[in-house]
Amino acid sequence: MSTIPITLRGAEKLKAELHQLKTKDRPWVINAIAEARAQGDLSENAEYEAAKDRQGFIEGRIAEVEGKLSAAQIIDPTTLDASGKVVFGATVDLEDEDSGAKVTYQIVGEDEADIKKGLVNISSPIARSLIGKEEGDVAEVQAPGGTRRFEIVAVRYE
């Protein structure tokens, strides 16, 4: 199995979710199943079926999160020394050459990506075009509306 890059913040978020699933959600659904069983005939018991479905979802999510954490290569951006190059975990300030609009993105793993928060997936077109570049370089991104050019204003590791 290959490793999956993830930031320290992303790994902590997955660990917190796993803790929630194991300590709160799993016991709750076990209790819900027990209560539904106590009502008698299981063949026509909607609460029992719903609780069993929820249990299947929780157990599947626990297995998925455990698998991701076991394959994770945790990268702490604050400890990176990439000599100003854009690498996984770097925060990059960009300026659109056409519009002059400024944006800031951090390159993160698939599970952490949230474009509204400025977190872009390492495998996204913008991240792929930025990797290896330095401050002052221009990155060309193939966007749905055509090619866009961004100047790299700053690269930070935070």
Side-chain angles (χ1 to χ4, degrees):
M1 177 184 265
S2 62
T3 60
I4 302 166
I6 189 169
T7 65
L8 185 59
R9 180 183 63 234
E12 292 302 322
K13 190 174 174 184
L14 281 178
K15 287 176 186 174
E17 180 184 358
L18 185 61
H19 181 74
Q20 167 76 23
L21 288 166
K22 285 184 168 183
T23 62
K24 302 265 187 320
D25 297 350
R26 181 187 270 168
W28 176 85
V29 81
I30 289 171
N31 187 45
I33 290 170
E35 286 179 16
R37 275 194 179 137
Q39 294 176 8
D41 186 12
L42 298 181
S43 65
E44 295 179 16
N45 190 329
E47 289 85 9
Y48 177 77
E49 291 300 321
K52 290 297 282 181
D53 288 346
R54 181 76 181 144
Q55 182 184 35
F57 171 79
I58 290 169
E59 295 302 327
R61 184 64 184 156
I62 288 172
E64 181 182 356
V65 172
E66 285 178 337
K68 287 178 181 181
L69 286 171
S70 70
Q73 176 186 1
I74 300 171
I75 298 170
D76 183 356
T78 61
T79 63
L80 294 176
D81 181 20
S83 305
K85 290 194 179 295
V86 178
V87 294
F88 180 88
T91 300
V92 186
D93 296 327
L94 304 171
E95 183 175 334
D96 189 317
E97 285 194 338
D98 294 333
S99 68
K102 295 184 180 191
V103 292
T104 300
Y105 294 126
Q106 182 181 18
I107 300 173
V108 297
E110 179 182 339
D111 291 314
E112 305 169 78
D114 184 348
I115 195 69
K116 292 177 183 171
K117 294 181 180 176
L119 304 172
V120 294
N121 185 344
I122 183 71
S123 61
S124 69
I126 185 121
R128 288 196 316 264
S129 68
L130 293 171
I131 295 292
K133 301 231 177 348
E134 300 176 336
E135 191 174 308
D137 288 350
V138 174
E140 290 190 6
V141 180
Q142 295 298 325
T147 302
R148 295 180 62 187
R149 293 171 52 90
F150 293 95
E151 180 183 346
I152 300 173
V153 178
V155 179
R156 302 183 311 276
Y157 310 102
E158 45 188 41

